[in-house]
Amino acid sequence: MENIVKARIEFEDGGIINLELYPDIAPITVANFVKLAKSGFYDGLCFHRVIDGFMIQGGGFTYDERYGLIPKQAETIKGEFASNGVPNNIRHEKGVISMARTAVKDSASSQFFICVANTPHLDGEYAAFGRCADDASVKTAVKYGKAKTGRWQQFSDMPFNPIVIKSVTVVD
């Protein structure tokens, strides 16, 4: 890969996940993520779905102790994956970052997930657009994937102790 965009997710508890993003493979997705990061969109949002042995998902909600999860909306983008007519050879392996979406293929907006295990059933169905840049970042994602979870509002896999993003920065 010729072009690599570097980004960093910093968490309020001090955790850090460094990312490599691949605009040559998923240009719309990377541009969207970079735009949202640079605007501060992700600051203060939480990881609202955590499934050990699968993935951690965030980028769409803030957490409030009294009101629970409060959605934050962004514009939808085209899904850059094979079943949507877009070649994308990134496999959903441990450490890969990909866009979350509904059953509608072009419904991804701001929510993303990081695989904490190999999940080949997602290949060709979700827009993978990068990966953790180092082993320490993969270990951090896996650690968050082991958080204790329970039911909250519509989610059965919400962490009991919120995993809050302090900031997402793009390293130029």
Side-chain angles (χ1 to χ4, degrees), residues 8-118:
R8 169 180 272 207
I9 305 172
E10 262 186 87
F11 295 88
E12 287 190 352
D13 69 359
I16 291 174
I17 295 177
N18 293 306
L19 299 168
E20 291 182 344
L21 310 179
Y22 307 130
D24 290 346
I25 297 171
I28 296 167
T29 306
V30 171
N32 181 63
F33 186 86
V34 166
K35 176 186 80 172
L36 294 172
K38 285 185 172 181
S39 75
F41 181 92
Y42 290 117
D43 302 358
L45 299 185
C46 67
F47 276 68
H48 64 282
R49 288 187 71 207
V50 169
I51 304 172
D52 189 19
F54 180 37
M55 60 89 213
I56 58 175
Q57 180 177 330
F61 296 91
T62 57
Y63 174 77
D64 180 277
E65 285 187 24
R66 288 183 299 169
Y67 302 109
L69 293 173
I70 301 167
K72 188 170 181 182
Q73 302 295 326
E75 290 181 35
T76 58
I77 58 172
K78 177 166 182 61
E80 294 177 299
F81 46 90
S83 74
N84 204 26
V86 179
N88 181 333
N89 62 356
I90 302 173
R91 302 177 81 117
H92 286 83
E93 299 169 335
K94 186 190 314 188
V96 163
I97 184 170
S98 191
M99 290 303 289
R101 63 175 178 84
T102 67
V104 176
K105 292 185 179 194
D106 293 333
S107 62
S109 61
S110 62
Q111 290 189 42
F112 60 89
F113 61 91
I114 300 172
C115 300
V116 297
N118 295 343

Side-chain angles (χ1 to χ4, degrees), residues 115-138:
C115 300
V116 297
N118 295 343
T119 55
H121 63 283
L122 302 179
D123 293 350
E125 297 296 328
Y126 289 83
F129 64 102
R131 67 181 66 248
C132 291
D134 50 60
D135 288 340
S137 295
V138 173

